[in-house]
Amino acid sequence: MSTLHLRYFARLRERFGRDAEPLGIPAVPYTVADVIALLVARGGIWADELGGPRVFRVAVDQEMAQLDTPVHDGAEVAIFPPVTGG
Amino acid sequence: MQREPSIRIVVQAEDFDPGQEEALLHDGDLHIGGSAAFVGRVRADGDDLLALTLEHYPGMTEKSLQALAEQAAERWQLSGVTVIHRIGRLLPGERIVLVLTASAHRQAALTACEFLIDALKTDAPFWKCEERTRGKHWVEAKAGDNNARQRWANHE
């Protein structure tokens, strides 16, 4: 078993009612897509926000990531809406 | 002898002074021919905008701004870059962001400044929450911002 450090920001932080949580994943090659699938399987708001047409972004270890980006034991995986700074 | 580009990245709640920042960026470097500045302010969008609250991703924000500044400094051979972005609750009219670029010649400074503000809007992890008389809501990303960003990628 490996552990990821999930973080949520802005609208998704409010929707999920938390800004961070640990997530246990099997100790096998794992990608961002696998993490999202695990969260979508929780159903409810998780499936609504991450399993449908709504757009979100993912960063792994504070670098923008894609669905096929690998995640490793101890990685910081952040999920957030498209950014709106400036 | 030309110096290494100086890069200053700041994320803070407090206001900043563009004039003071320009003097700091110049820092007596006689190879600098000029600086270009973009100062963003909170626009009174509609009659009912009370405030904007800026959230960010501490750590990743600074890293992404640093990476963009380094990219711009190299691409346009800048003498220096300053990026200051405010966070927290800001009122209409308040300054929100400063992009400052210094170079030997004006064109490089002006172009790099425009690149940086376009790139910052799509690449740096900031989010705006609008507070209106009817309630609060998170600002959605605009397609126009992505188009502005894409324009620079096409030239790479």
Side-chain angles (χ1 to χ4, degrees), chain A residues 3-71:
Chain A
T3 304
L4 303 177
H5 304 288
L6 298 191
R7 301 188 65 175
Y8 309 108
F9 289 94
R11 191 177 54 76
L12 291 180
R13 172 178 55 74
E14 288 185 348
R15 282 279 279 165
F16 298 151
R18 65 198 74 181
D19 59 8
E21 66 176 317
L23 183 76
I25 58 168
V28 294
Y30 226 67
T31 65
V32 166
D34 298 323
V35 174
I36 298 300
L38 211 55
L39 295 175
V40 167
R42 290 174 173 176
I45 50 168
W46 300 89
D48 185 31
E49 291 291 345
L50 306 176
R54 303 205 73 146
V55 180
F56 60 89
R57 302 272 185 264
V58 179
V60 174
D61 292 331
Q62 304 192 352
E63 297 273 356
M64 291 302 259
Q66 305 299 324
L67 286 174
D68 60 358
T69 302
V71 294

Side-chain angles (χ1 to χ4, degrees), chain B residues 12-100:
Chain B
Q12 64 182 22
E14 299 75 36
D15 194 13
F16 50 82
D17 179 341
Q20 199 177 319
E21 291 298 333
E22 192 275 335
L24 203 60
L25 184 62
H26 182 260
D27 191 29
D29 182 347
L30 302 180
H31 293 100
I32 292 177
S35 304
F38 178 83
V39 179
R41 287 182 185 260
V42 178
R43 186 176 54 237
D45 200 22
D47 295 334
D48 61 338
L49 181 72
L50 302 175
L52 279 185
T53 298
L54 269 290
E55 178 171 328
H56 79 125
Y57 183 171
M60 181 173 170
T61 312
E62 292 82 353
K63 272 203 262 182
S64 63
L65 294 177
Q66 179 76 28
L68 288 174
E70 285 172 7
Q71 197 186 323
E74 193 184 326
R75 187 165 166 186
W76 286 282
Q77 302 190 331
L78 303 176
S79 308
V81 179
T82 298
V83 178
I84 303 181
H85 204 301
R86 293 179 68 191
I87 49 169
R89 188 171 183 272
L90 301 174
L91 304 178
E94 282 197 78
R95 280 184 282 262
I96 181 168
V97 63
L98 172 71
V99 175
L100 206 50

